[in-house]
Amino acid sequence: MSGPDLRGAAAIAGVAESDLGEVGPGRYALDLAAQAAGAALADAGLSTRDVDGLFCAIAGRGMAPLDVAEYLGVRPRYTDGTMVGGSSFVSHLHHAALAIAAGACHTALIVYGSTARSDSVHAGNGRGRLPAAPPETPSYEAAYRPRMPVTGYALAAARHMHQYGTTRAQLAEVAVAARQWARLNPRAFVRDPLTVEDVLASRIVSSPLSVLDCCLVTDGGGALVVTAADRAGHLRRPPVYLLGAGEAHWHRAISQMPDLTVTAATESSRRAYEMAKVGPQDVDVVQLYDAFTINTVLFLEDLGFCAKGEGGAFVSGGRIAPGGSLPVNTNGGGLSYCHPGMYGIFTLIEAARQIRGEAGERQQPDVTIALAHGNGGQLSSQATAILGSEQAL
Amino acid sequence: MSGPGKVADLRRAGLAPHLEYTERLAEGAVPFQSCEECRAAVFPPRVLCPACGAMELTWERSAGLGTVYSTSVLFPRGRDPYPVVLVDLDEGFRMMSTVTGTPAEEVAIGARVRAHVDPAGPDGPHVAFTLETGERDERP
């Protein structure tokens, strides 16, 4: 059963990041969220007074929408605090379009902030370790000391290698491509040259994944302003239309994921493509949540860019790197650009910038359709959005 | 109402599945639940069958034989490496666990394993596995 047709109903009118990297001490997640919100509204030529719909998620804050609304001084008539991990913000975009189409709000603000890196330094955990949160229900995994989230993704990678012959060198190609893109992005956190050999030689954290198969831990925030399509056409920036959106989640714990080589992105992307009336062959740039190198392989398969099992070969030989036939994660991704814990919002920001033609040295020619894909939990929650320029409508 | 009486009532009614699980585990069993309606094997413990939604679940004792579905070796600084595995038990449920008595890197996907209850550990008793020598699952 397909959901309501939202094709072209809503558009992204403004995008922004906050300061990224390592911003602390003395600054909080809400500070970064608000900095990004203010900049995204300015980008759209709007202000907090225009916001009547609020969508946000902040790790560790159960009432994030209340925190953010109070801080910004907005009184939304529609609020959504959906928290499904890093995919939350792609879900928020879908929900914002539904709310706008139903008349429940007119100008939606989607917002995120995190000081994960500064917090870990401050707490003496060692730089780059996400703080551990106590489980809210009994854990049937903790006794075995997995290092989460990396072990969950490592188990998926091991299974993909076993079933399809995927190699560590192929996974390393993902990290190398991300780094090559990051070298074109002045805001990327890590821009040193990187080779497949460097990745293979780096310390194994949870086999088969090494330190350089894992995303960064940085600070950072982001925001999007979404309005009804007719209004977006009269604002400061060219509108970036939502053509299609889809969501799916099948499990929370990795031990409950039925097949570790097939994610719910198969379902979320099918829903998004159907609504957008396009297929993977129509997509000019792909922004996907690369928390670990295996993510890019799994998602390129599940989003339909190659057959199941062929992801390792697909990412090799520079195909997804600058100059390759499919530009993937043109900002450098969670692996090299920024990763404050819940990266999904940055897939949308970069997709919008590529469509608006303002991505600087990394800008791809003639981008009319971009796919943004968020992942949350342990390959748990999947959300796909297909964005397009006016030409794509 | 609160206190031990309440807990006993909940347990009798099958509404405190984690408590029931840990008690059976402490007795040395590898417990799981089975749905009276659709016969699905259910783990982790629940009050409702995730396959069909029925609320009648029966406790079972696993024979403890299974196959490694996936494995990852962790390398903590200054400590021995150890494997974290996902095991498909022959009764049809999957659990995270570890394999003891074998070098971590030698635990392979497809290996047959046998469960035991390790009474030690900071979180109390838990299920661990050892390799079943000479037996290997040939499924792809």
Side-chain angles (χ1 to χ4, degrees):
Chain A
M1 194 174 73
S2 56
D5 183 12
L6 299 169
R7 191 180 195 281
I12 297 170
V15 299
E17 302 126 312
S18 70
D19 291 339
L20 307 174
E22 190 171 321
V23 304
R27 296 175 73 187
Y28 295 89
L30 288 174
D31 296 326
L32 296 189
Q35 185 192 23
L41 286 162
D43 185 50
L46 296 171
S47 85
T48 50
R49 288 186 299 281
D50 299 299
V51 174
D52 64 350
L54 181 64
F55 300 72
C56 59
I58 294 177
R61 296 198 83 95
M63 289 188 254
L66 304 188
D67 295 323
V68 171
E70 180 189 89
Y71 191 123
L72 295 177
V74 302
R75 294 182 169 185
R77 60 185 173 118
Y78 193 89
T79 297
D80 182 330
T82 297
M83 173 48 132
V84 286
S87 56
S88 298
F89 315 98
V90 184
S91 291
H92 292 165
L93 176 60
H94 183 204
H95 301 177
L98 284 162
I100 288 167
C105 66
H106 199 67
T107 302
L109 177 68
I110 302 171
V111 62
Y112 168 60
S114 160
T115 50
R117 187 175 187 84
S118 297
D119 295 349
S120 68
V121 173
H122 203 62
N125 292 350
R127 193 171 254 105
R129 282 223 182 195
L130 288 168
E136 66 271 41
T137 53
S139 171
Y140 297 87
E141 296 186 343
Y144 307 106
R145 294 178 291 143
R147 185 171 161 186
M148 291 304 190
V150 57
T151 300
Y153 291 84
L155 289 164
R159 189 68 205 179
H160 202 278
M161 291 166 76
H162 173 77
Q163 270 180 243
Y164 299 113
T166 308
T167 65
R168 280 199 62 216
Q170 289 172 334
L171 297 179
E173 294 260 10
V174 172
V176 169
R179 184 62 57 84
Q180 289 173 358
W181 285 114
R183 289 172 63 76
L184 304 177
N185 181 0
R187 299 208 67 185
F189 191 68
V190 195
R191 303 182 69 202
D192 309 324
L194 184 72
T195 66
V196 167
E197 292 68 36
D198 294 334
V199 181
L200 294 177
S202 72
R203 183 174 62 84
I204 298 284
V205 180
S206 190
S207 71
L209 301 181
S210 73
V211 174
L212 291 173
D213 287 294
C214 301
C215 60
L216 307 167
V217 176
T218 68
D219 300 334
L224 307 170
V225 179
V226 184
T227 72
D230 53 353
R231 184 179 188 211
H234 306 291
L235 295 175
R236 243 182 105 223
R237 297 283 193 183
V240 174
Y241 295 94
L242 179 65
L243 302 177
E247 300 176 54
H249 57 86
W250 294 346
H251 66 277
R252 164 83 187 264
I254 198 70
S255 57
Q256 295 299 298
M257 181 171 175
D259 179 342
L260 263 62
T261 68
V262 180
T263 76
T266 49
E267 211 169 79
S268 67
S269 66
R270 179 170 47 73
R271 290 172 181 148
Y273 287 133
E274 276 175 13
M275 191 188 293
K277 299 188 174 65
V278 300
Q281 71 283 355
D282 302 309
V283 173
D284 299 312
V285 294
V286 180
Q287 314 296 339
L288 54 78
Y289 195 149
D290 57 340
F292 302 93
T293 51
I294 186 64
N295 295 38
T296 302
V297 170
L298 287 170
F299 295 148
L300 287 172
E301 293 171 352
D302 292 346
L303 298 169
F305 292 98
C306 62
K308 180 50 67 187
E310 292 176 8
F314 186 84
V315 299
S316 300
R319 189 186 263 113
I320 64 170
S325 58
L326 184 69
V328 175
N329 293 352
T330 51
N331 54 5
L335 290 166
S336 283
Y337 149 67
C338 127
H339 188 277
M342 301 199 297
Y343 171 80
I345 200 162
F346 301 101
T347 66
L348 293 164
I349 291 171
E350 179 68 4
R353 285 185 174 146
Q354 286 285 345
I355 287 169
R356 294 184 346 184
E358 57 188 40
E361 235 189 302
R362 64 187 191 278
Q363 178 65 46
Q364 296 300 293
D366 308 319
V367 176
T368 54
I369 295 182
L371 184 148
H373 181 78
N375 163 70
Q378 309 252 317
L379 292 168
S380 315
S381 169
Q382 306 297 326
T384 311
I386 296 166
L387 306 177
S389 65
E390 188 147 27
Q391 226 186 316
L393 280 180
Chain B
M1 190 168 72
S2 64
K6 172 74 169 169
V7 170
D9 288 348
L10 286 172
R11 200 170 46 214
R12 265 195 298 279
L15 293 174
H18 181 66
L19 193 64
E20 187 112 356
Y21 173 76
T22 50
E23 284 179 0
R24 287 169 186 270
L25 197 59
E27 289 162 9
V30 177
F32 71 103
Q33 293 165 297
S34 164
C35 175
E36 289 184 23
E37 189 66 34
C38 75
R39 309 313 307 169
V42 176
F43 183 86
R46 290 169 166 88
V47 300
L48 176 151
C49 172
C52 76
M55 298 193 74
E56 288 72 38
L57 301 176
T58 311
W59 284 98
E60 309 265 3
R61 191 180 175 122
S62 168
L65 284 169
T67 304
V68 174
Y69 175 73
S70 194
T71 178
S72 176
V73 181
L74 285 93
F75 296 85
R77 287 178 221 259
R79 303 216 315 264
D80 288 340
Y82 60 92
V84 171
V85 297
L86 297 177
V87 175
D88 285 334
L89 278 297
D90 290 354
E91 289 89 353
F93 66 98
R94 180 179 296 169
M95 67 187 304
M96 182 173 284
S97 190
T98 191
V99 176
T100 60
T102 305
E105 292 91 333
E106 288 175 22
V107 177
I109 291 175
R112 291 287 288 167
V113 288
R114 180 181 292 276
H116 62 278
V117 176
D118 183 343
D123 305 309
H126 57 277
V127 178
F129 289 83
T130 51
L131 285 185
E132 276 287 270
T133 44
E135 209 186 330
R136 197 181 153 75
D137 190 280
E138 294 302 329
R139 283 176 297 187

